[in-house]
Every structure is written in structure tokens, then in C-alpha cells.
Amino acid sequence: GDAPTGAGEDLIPSPGRSLDQTDFDITPDGSTVVATRWREAGGLRQRFQELVAVDVASGEVRVLAGDEASYADPACSPDGRRVAAVRWGLSTPEEPADQTVWLVDLQSGEGRDLLEGFDRWPEGPVWASDAGALFFTAHDEGNAPVFRVDAQSGEVTRLSGEGAFSDLCPSPDGRSLYALRSTICDPPHPVVIDLEATETRPRRLRSFE
């Protein structure tokens, strides 16, 4: 039926099924929506999720990344200049597809692999409050630890050991990283990692003990 009065504006009219089970994020100033969108390519009708930017004022849609790869979990930087997304390519008979964090400049559209050579599959990237780094998780021998990657150099630091982490949430002051952690003995519970400590170690929040 018709949308109720004041419900908002349709930025991508008649999308068909291209936005089924896709992801989006919004720049801090609200001017741009970055989303994933299904497209078909190749003689075998292969489907990929491309990365697009939608200008809220004009409705213009720009393709930020539309190669033979799929993108997910877009995250706009706090300064509104860049977007990070998980990217994975096609598997071949010789090797499996690579999964990485792809970093795109929102103004120029230029993109690059932020985790070149990293031997794990990253998930759920989130930006640090100063836009200088990103945090993500990746499966590692039965665990899903937290990693930090410098947005300029690509240097990766592991921040946790045992346990499976998810729902990463950096504090606005840049001193802490909150997350949910579970182990074989513990259901998911909130923890905090002190990012200023010499040795980072997740601490269970006392109010949930």
C-alpha cells in the first residue's frame, strides 16, 4: 500500500529484487547512503553484490565497486570520507576465493585492499572514532578474535585470544572497544578491551557477572 505521510523518501525507486538481504550504512552528515546491491553478470548469470553510493539530495546512484566480486557490511568512516566493506571474489579450481576488507574513497571512488596478504577472512569491520583504524573479527582455529588494522599502513594487530567475539562497538573517546564474547563454556556476554593498555585483555563487565 501507500507509504504513510512523513515516512520518508524512496531513494531507489523500483529496485526489484536487487536489494534483497543487502546491507547499508549512512555517512555521519546524512548526505550519502552506501549500500550493497545485487547485479547479474556473465553468461552463467552469476550474481554479485556491488557497492553503491546514493546521494540523498539528488537520488543519484554511483557504483563504487562493481567488479567480479561481492561486497557486504559497508561501514562509513566517522569523517565521512571513506567506506570499508568486506569483499570476496570468485573461487577457482586452483584456489578458494579471497575475503578481505576493501577501502573506498567516497569522493573519487578509488578502492584498495586494506588487508593484502592477511591469511584470515575478516568480518564485521567497524571504524575507530578518529577514523585512523578499523576493528574486525576473523575465525582462527576455533576462535573469532578481534583485530585492529591501521587505515593508512594496513598494519594488523590482534587484540584478543580465546573466544568468539562479535558486535564490536568502539567508544567515542577511542580508549575502549566493547563487544560480545562467547566460549565453549560461556554464552555471549559483554566485555570491554582497554585499547590504551600495554597488553589488551578483554574484561567482563561486572554488572553482567
Side-chain angles (χ1 to χ4, degrees), residues 13-145:
S14 305
R17 308 305 300 269
S18 65
L19 298 179
D20 287 2
Q21 296 182 325
T22 55
D23 310 310
F24 74 93
D25 196 19
I26 305 172
T27 55
D29 63 3
S31 66
T32 304
V33 176
V34 178
T36 56
R37 180 177 69 178
W38 288 103
R39 70 178 179 90
E40 294 182 354
L44 299 178
R45 298 182 68 84
Q46 294 169 322
R47 300 189 73 205
F48 301 97
Q49 286 193 58
E50 61 186 0
L51 191 67
V52 299
V54 185
D55 183 82
V56 172
S58 67
E60 177 190 3
V61 179
R62 292 184 296 124
V63 176
L64 297 174
D67 53 339
E68 290 193 351
S70 282
Y71 297 82
D73 296 331
C76 297
S77 62
D79 57 13
R81 296 171 48 201
R82 294 165 292 177
V83 59
V86 173
R87 177 190 187 274
W88 70 96
L90 290 173
S91 296
T92 69
E94 291 75 29
E95 59 183 5
D98 183 36
Q99 183 165 312
T100 188
V101 171
W102 195 253
L103 193 62
V104 182
D105 185 291
L106 280 175
Q107 184 172 4
S108 68
E110 294 182 1
R112 63 185 176 93
D113 184 352
L114 185 59
L115 294 175
E116 189 171 358
F118 185 67
D119 63 351
R120 298 291 184 270
W121 284 11
E123 296 179 346
V126 296
W127 286 89
S129 57
D130 64 359
L134 290 107
F135 303 98
F136 64 90
T137 61
H139 289 279
D140 180 71
E141 298 182 349
N143 297 295

